[in-house]
Amino acid sequence: MHNQTIAELAKGLQAGEFSSQELTTAHLARIKQHSGLNCFITVTEVEALAQAKIADQLISDGKAGPLTGIPLAHKDIFCTQGIKTSCGSKMLDNFQAPYNATVIERFNQAGAVTLGKLNMDEFAMGSSNETSFFGPVKNPWDHSAVPGGSSGGSACAVAARLAVGATGTDTGGSIRQPAAFCGITGLKPTYGRVSRYGMIAFASSLDQGGPMTRTVEDAALMLQTMAGFDSRDSTSVDKPVPDYSTGLNDSLAGLKIGLPKEFFGDNLNTQMAQVVEEAIAEYTRLGAEVVEVSMPNINLSIPAYYIIAPAECSANLSRFDGVRYGHRCEAPEDLNDLYIRSRGEGFGSEVKRRILIGTYALSTGYYDAYYLQAQKIRRLISDDFKKVLSEVDVLMGPVTPTPAFGLGEKTGDPIEMYLSDMYTIAVNLAGLPALSIPAGFVDQKPVGLQIIGNYFDEARLLNVAHRFQQETDWHQQAPAGIE
Amino acid sequence: MALTTEEVNKIAYLARLGIDEQDVDSYAKELSGILNLVEQMSSVNTEQVTPMAHPMDQVQRLRVDEVTEGDQRALFQAQAPDVEAGLYLVPKVID
Amino acid sequence: MEWETVIGLEIHAQLATKSKIFSGASTAYGAEPNTQACAVDLGLPGVLPVLNEQAVHLALRFGVAIGAEIAPYSVFSRKNYFYPDLPKGYQISQFELPIVGQGVLDIEVEGETKRIGVTRAHLEEDAGKSLHEDFQGLSGIDLNRAGTPLLEIVSEPDMRSAKEAVAYMKKIHTLVRYLGICDGNMQEGSFRCDANVSVRPKGQAEFGTRAEVKNLNSFRFVEKAINYEVERQIDRIESGLSVVQETRLYDSDLDETRSMRSKEEANDYRYFPDPDLLPVVITEALIEQARGELPELPDAKKLRFKEQYGVDEETAVLLTHSKDTADYYEAVISASGCEVKLCTNWVTGHLAGALNKDGLDITQSPIGHARFAGLLARIADNTISGKIAKQVFEALWHSDQTADEIIDQKGLKQITDTGAIEAIIDEVIANNAGQVEQYLSGKDKVFGFFVGQVMKLTQGKANPGEVNAMLKEKLKR
């Protein structure tokens, strides 16, 4: 059962082959069995079974939708009412959100089952899931490797078949990079497509939630539920949501693919380049036309990102002050002591680094040189994308410069870690949609292909990615020991 | 661009962020490294470039002036470390 | 040395919206602590702000009223600092691009008109409140006020005395209430100001170092705090010390300002555009709409009152300082159909006195304009004398009856029957032969005695003018 996709399971549920309660119970058992992967921060067994029961009723009443009764899990960045929402931090270890994120509400309304909350880098700051207060997640393909981050728990849970699908969030690659490392499909939608309400903010102008699934078809189903206007989010875009499933099989004949030459430079190891090139060759067989394009400013993505994201996070994380919720230090002497110790104890070192950098970049005398300059570079990068996307339909390239690196390999050097996001970050700066699909293996570890589309062109991205999955079986591979 | 430990302490105080005395040096080193990484931005001439604060070229939507939220004090304060008489308690505020 | 004072004011006017600037929680005053602080106001993880349309409209209305430039594009920024009444650790405010730009306002001080520049007015959210009592050395935080919309109106440093500052603040106070954008209630904190005060030797072009006196919530305190601060600064300079740029708090009990410890540390607010909010775009159509919503403004109304009703400057100011008073006055004129002068005298005289005595404003007057007009009409048509009218006024104040009902019930109608008055006059003359003698021998003063006697016997219901005339006639003989 656990090897089936959302689309397949929905058919089975509706045909009465099995119930949602059986399906949920089976997944809960798998979660226990593979608890060593450390995917989950919280497993909501009781709530999940109650939701499954309701879903079964809906199914027998003929009121089921495509996600009714499907066991999913959510990154612990989405607020879930009455359930611990930790954001991977000691700061919120004791926090039970008093409300549901819009994304959670939407899944609830669709009748989906929530198995629990998934491990992640603390406040989504990290690329390896090693900054989590709850310990690192293992890569299911290689237990000595990282699953990627920050949505590492989500990627691992889907790859290990502990949840049929999961939510993730992507600020600089946090959906695509772990999806690539774990060999699954991950979509970061256009900024504003999925509501950010109730999704704990890291960098507000970059954050975007999206689906992480085994197949593109499933990603389309999840996105269908997640996407849409939310009046509680000023940055949510009021634009009709197309049907993401109908065009999945459209022909790719004449599709124009751009390959940014900056993505294929020295940083990309040859084996990785080979996997990507083979994937692109598959597309030419499907009738697509490939051209090289250039985005001269894209190499400035990492510098701009590592000012903008920390600047925004330095303010976003000020609310964690030990007054209204979250960690509070013992016996504060005075107000400053309350703030300094509560925050000092509640945040881990990567979060602190980013708060410090952001605070510095915004402070008097440095604002123009850092923050403002970063915003201008952001414009240049965005303009580069606009230009090339007026010439081609989609862009393709690698997701990461290497396959999953080893646990502990990069924790000693933050910059080394930051550089692993070099191919994903630019998309967030521009606000574009992009996805990662499994395209092969290097060193027995999965490698992803990144496909970037134009604003609100998720349907086309899904179509392009789905056709690849019709021709290949990379996405059907399962890590050893979890079949 | 290298940050001194003094500067690190100053920023940490601005951010009300406790960092262990023995870690200040390594923070200074790491933060200096990050500043070096972002340094390459300064080589770009951006005089004519409009800063980009948002990825979407959109304008603020306005909310109708209606009261839509009721009293949820009990629910919210269940998460609070210290409350009394409906108030959040903190060490004495000195004006 | 002769010193010159330089003052600029930052006035915070709470905008009269039903809900908060970025959330749907109520702004009503006086609720139980934290019952009107919703998830957004508390800064719970994951919540987001959405801007209140009415707050924007009210800010625009103010902008067009002072002839200011309206920014076609304005931006909300985060002002970062830690304080327990500031839940998110930043205040959402406008920094580089405020919604209202340069404008002007004329004030009158001692008969002189002076033009004060308004630098800008911007939208921002208010903070909560810290309560210091009763928590064993702890402070209690009430966040009901957090997120209440404020318009911060920043003046140029154009004022040169506490009196000018008060005149300016009163002018803005009148204006915002005219515009219906702020209830102006200073006790409840809906209208308060910070004063930037500095002194310099007269004739010097550069400004002196300024101190900012925070949270002044009455006109009297503004005046006293500025005067104290000016003296303090002059004293320091004259004794060889310098003025420190700092934030000070006015203590009304001690009538002094003192340095605010909490704000002493050099603050670095690290303003940057709030990424949760998008640029606010104001169209020409919206500005036109705001213009269309403008009522007659205080200065225009004052001028019209002087012309139309022939009142002097002082009276015009009295009648127009609040729109409610002006509306009441005009309603009385039109309902009573009386001579304007009578209405003016009664509104600014007896009614104003009575309201003042009971600490009421015109909207709380126990006598509505219709009943008041009814009283004036009876004075005008001689049904009652001015003296009796005061008695009727008393009765109106304490009941719901009309003037006519009271006059009827108490039999206060003026005696118009000349025969009856004549008989009483005859009686008075007959009973006071001695006084008649004195009067006839040239002691004119005695005349008042006769009038008094007649009025006493008629219980004040005779028309004094008529009594005078008849007495004079009778005593001739």
Side-chain angles (χ1 to χ4, degrees), chain A residues 91-128:
Chain A
M91 181 57 87
L92 291 179
D93 188 23
N94 62 359
F95 180 65
Q96 294 196 328
Y99 73 103
N100 278 329
T102 299
V103 162
I104 300 294
E105 278 298 321
R106 284 171 165 268
F107 280 118
N108 287 349
Q109 261 151 39
V113 173
T114 300
L115 295 166
K117 306 293 293 291
L118 296 161
N119 206 343
M120 56 183 282
D121 277 301
E122 184 179 9
F123 284 102
M125 298 176 200
S127 311
S128 66

Side-chain angles (χ1 to χ4, degrees), chain A residues 65 86 133 205 284 287 384 453:
Chain A
S86 74
F133 174 65
S205 77
T284 53
D384 277 2

